[in-house]
Amino acid sequence: MAVQEILLLGNPILRKQCSPVKNTRTAEIVETIANLRDTLQDFRKRKGFGRGIAAPQIGVTRQIIYIDFEYHGALLNPTITKRSRKKFTLWDDCFSFPDILAKVERNYSIEVSFIDESGARKKLNAEGSLSELLQHEIDHVNGILAVDRAIDSKHIILRSEYEKLSAKQPVML
Ligand SMILES: [Zn+2]
């Protein structure tokens, strides 16, 4: 169990379709979950933000995400089974491109089916911040990044420029 290096935008592993987990008790899966937890906690300590992480970000092409915000723990083979018609937009960021923000549109609420660490089938209903976080992390295990979801190419910007703009004219954003 250890903090892992986070793969960055451009690394082809981030673009892979991850494979489902069949047995949650193998050493590979148990270790991956512990590494995701440790890496997320370390990132948050160093950078001051971070609520979730996905296995491909530490180089493991398995359908595993780890959330530490409202829901706490690993979701294996997560799939979105319901989406609200209501949507909202937000500036999204990612450990794999910490200096870039992309404005994306997400469903306001979703239902996610997954298996937990013990192998039990579960459902989770999420809205608002947890909903957009889950959509971001589930995209990762399908090789999709927040920059791909940008509402258009003008809405991919550097974090430093975002901070300048929001200090001057928050309404513009
Ligand atoms: Zn991400």
Side-chain angles (χ1 to χ4, degrees):
M1 323 302 147
V3 174
Q4 303 293 301
E5 184 188 343
I6 293 170
L7 305 189
L8 297 175
L9 181 64
N11 189 308
I13 291 174
L14 293 174
R15 297 306 194 168
K16 295 233 156 106
Q17 171 64 52
C18 295
S19 56
V21 175
K22 293 199 179 97
N23 179 352
T24 63
R25 313 236 182 208
T26 65
E28 180 216 351
I29 300 304
V30 171
E31 192 183 355
T32 297
I33 292 169
N35 289 345
L36 287 169
R37 185 196 58 220
D38 292 351
T39 306
L40 173 59
Q41 284 172 356
D42 174 70
F43 187 96
R44 189 159 49 197
K45 229 182 276 168
R46 287 187 293 112
K47 304 251 185 179
F49 69 98
R51 305 168 296 163
I53 190 169
Q57 292 182 284
I58 58 166
V60 178
T61 53
R62 289 286 195 175
Q63 293 177 21
I64 306 172
I65 65 174
Y66 194 97
I67 301 292
D68 192 11
F69 172 77
E70 295 184 7
Y71 183 88
H72 306 275
L75 292 84
L76 290 73
N77 305 343
T79 53
I80 298 173
T81 41
K82 282 183 195 159
R83 295 172 183 274
S84 65
R85 220 173 280 171
K86 184 179 167 189
K87 293 186 175 176
F88 68 123
T89 58
L90 65 135
W91 286 99
D92 205 1
D93 56 17
C94 182
F95 292 178
S96 295
F97 38 91
D99 300 325
I100 296 173
L101 292 171
K103 195 170 199 176
V104 302
E105 187 176 66
R106 302 286 191 188
N107 299 92
Y108 181 73
S109 60
I110 55 168
E111 179 189 85
V112 177
S113 295
F114 64 101
I115 52 176
D116 71 9
E117 292 171 44
S118 68
R121 291 197 166 279
K122 293 212 166 148
K123 277 187 179 161
L124 175 62
N125 287 290
E127 57 178 42
S129 297
L130 181 60
S131 172
E132 59 91 357
L133 174 63
L134 286 163
Q135 289 172 73
H136 177 112
E137 302 305 341
I138 293 169
D139 270 350
H140 269 301
V141 299
N142 294 306
I144 299 165
L145 301 172
V147 284
D148 305 336
R149 299 279 190 201
I151 54 178
D152 62 40
S153 57
K154 289 178 193 156
H155 287 87
I156 301 173
I157 66 173
L158 290 178
R159 186 184 291 277
S160 54
E161 292 301 312
Y162 171 85
E163 282 163 5
K164 277 188 220 162
L165 287 171
S166 57
K168 276 187 207 154
Q169 280 184 311
V171 187
M172 293 273 295
L173 299 166

